[in-house]
Each structure stands twice: as structure tokens, then as C-alpha cells.
Amino acid sequence: LYHLARYVASEEKLLLSKELYTKEQGADSLNVAVVLNLLGMLYIRTNNLNGAEVALNMALELRSRILGDHSAELGETLNVIASLFSLKGNFTDALSSGKKALSIMEELYGMDSMEVSNVLVTLGEVYMNKGEYEKARENLNRALKINEDKVGPSHSSTADVLYALGAVASTECDYDKAEELFNTTAAIKRAAFGEEHPDTTRVVNRIATVYVEQNRLAEAETVFK
């Protein structure tokens, strides 16, 4: 309920910002596009996928029209849309959007940038959801190397890539590898944010799920104590 209340408050603030920017700058302003992009991301987190699609398509149209087809902002929105399509099971459009985002970010920031890494993680998750695990690992391992080189092996962003790799391993029933990756992720998140932070609890819950899937129920129960 606490997190739900936070999401509702965030939505209300974003909708108010959109209204104010529209009044002050017009409906076609870049600030409106920024808010629409954030709304799309929020709606994905709250599983309002139809609302996310509406907001993100509006953001995409605005950014494309104002900034052209090769801006970082457009790449950012395409990357979020790739995640959205993947969640909806539309893998063809998810990969199309993700590859366009990757091309933009590689052109603007270079092959080994954090911006590129963010898109590689999205593509890795798309391939995982599609059942193409080798391609998922290929993209995620490339993202992991970028993160380790740019921000270090103990950074929260690196942990996010490890988590995605753990999800692939878990989906393939490689539970030893999944447990190893999730435990490393949890240690990094605890050090960065503490035990009660949502990023930490998400990983802890995933570790418990790995135990349950192996019928290690006593260990799963211990995780929650």
C-alpha cells in the first residue's frame, strides 16, 4: 500500500506538471514530452500498459517532430517503448524499437557508453521474454562489461545488469547461477541503499523465489525473516 500511494502521488504530480507546461509553453513543448515519457515509465511500473502506450507514443511523436529522428531524447523514448512492447508480448516491435534506440545511442555516445548499456539491458530482457536466451546473454554481457569499465563492479547500475543475467539463468532453471548472481546483486544494493530499499527487497524476493522453485522452502522462509 505504501508503494501504491507513492505511485499515485507521482502520477498526480506528473499530470499537474503536464497541465502547467501545456498552459505555459503549449502542448507541443519538449517539457511536455519529458513528462509524457516519465508518465509512460510510471505506468509500466504500475502495469497500466495501455496508459503507458498512449503516453509514450505522444512523447515519441513530439520528440521526433521537434528534435528529429536521431536525438538522445528520441532514443530514450524508443528504449522505454521496447520494454513496453516486450511486456505486451509484441516482440517484433520491441526489437525494432530497441535496435533503433541502440543505433541512436551508439552514434551519439559511442559503442561503450552507459547510454548504450541501458539499451542493451532492455534488448537482453526482450530476448529473454522471447525465449532467445543466448541473445539475451550476449546483450547483457556486453552491458555488464561497459558498466564494469565505466562505473565499476560494485555500482548499482552494474547490479541491475547482474540482476537481469540472474533472471535469464532462473528462467533457464540454472538455479545455482541465478542464486550466485542475485546474491551478488543483493549485496551491492544493500551497500548502496540499505536493507529496506525497494531495489534491495526486489532482489531478496527473487532469491526466495529461486529457493521455492527448487522446493527449498525452509531457506525461502529464512530469507523473509
Side-chain angles (χ1 to χ4, degrees), residues 8-211:
V8 170
S10 297
E11 181 184 14
E12 290 174 349
K13 289 178 181 178
L14 287 170
L15 290 172
L16 178 59
S17 296
K18 178 176 176 288
E19 181 180 349
L20 291 173
Y21 282 132
T22 299
K23 286 181 178 178
E24 293 174 0
Q25 302 173 4
D28 292 344
S29 76
L30 281 176
N31 282 325
V32 170
V34 169
V35 175
L36 287 167
N37 199 74
L38 291 170
L39 273 171
M41 295 168 68
L42 176 65
Y43 288 148
I44 288 174
R45 289 188 71 105
T46 56
N47 205 35
N48 179 4
L49 301 187
N50 290 332
E53 187 166 2
V54 171
L56 290 168
N57 280 334
M58 292 173 67
L60 186 71
E61 192 278 330
L62 278 175
R63 286 178 158 177
S64 178
R65 178 154 46 86
I66 297 171
L67 298 171
D69 292 334
H70 292 88
S71 70
E73 291 83 355
L74 188 74
E76 177 187 37
T77 300
L78 284 167
N79 190 42
V80 182
I81 287 174
S83 293
L84 170 65
F85 281 141
S86 181
L87 290 171
K88 298 184 79 169
N90 183 352
F91 300 120
T92 298
D93 287 340
L95 289 173
S96 176
S97 295
K99 288 176 180 179
K100 287 177 185 176
L102 183 63
S103 176
I104 290 170
M105 295 310 191
E106 287 177 339
E107 180 180 340
L108 292 176
Y109 296 106
M111 301 292 287
D112 298 322
S113 66
M114 291 298 290
E115 290 81 3
V116 165
S117 172
N118 291 336
V119 182
L120 289 169
V121 171
T122 299
L123 284 169
E125 291 172 346
V126 173
Y127 280 120
M128 180 188 70
N129 292 337
K130 193 171 182 283
E132 297 188 26
Y133 303 120
E134 189 60 40
K135 289 184 179 179
R137 282 192 297 273
E138 180 182 327
N139 281 274
L140 292 171
N141 282 325
R142 182 182 164 195
L144 181 63
K145 185 177 187 311
I146 292 172
N147 275 264
E148 289 176 339
D149 289 347
K150 296 294 184 181
V151 297
S154 299
H155 193 276
S156 177
S157 294
T158 305
D160 291 335
V161 186
L162 292 170
Y163 181 88
L165 282 165
V168 175
S170 179
T171 303
E172 291 188 287
C173 300
D174 186 353
Y175 295 121
D176 289 342
K177 187 64 175 179
E179 186 177 344
E180 175 189 345
L181 289 163
F182 288 145
N183 279 324
T184 303
T185 303
I188 295 171
K189 293 295 185 179
R190 285 191 188 99
F193 304 120
E195 190 68 44
E196 302 302 322
H197 192 275
D199 279 13
T200 306
T201 57
R202 179 181 70 144
V203 185
V204 170
N205 289 340
R206 196 63 188 263
I207 293 170
T209 300
V210 169
Y211 290 152

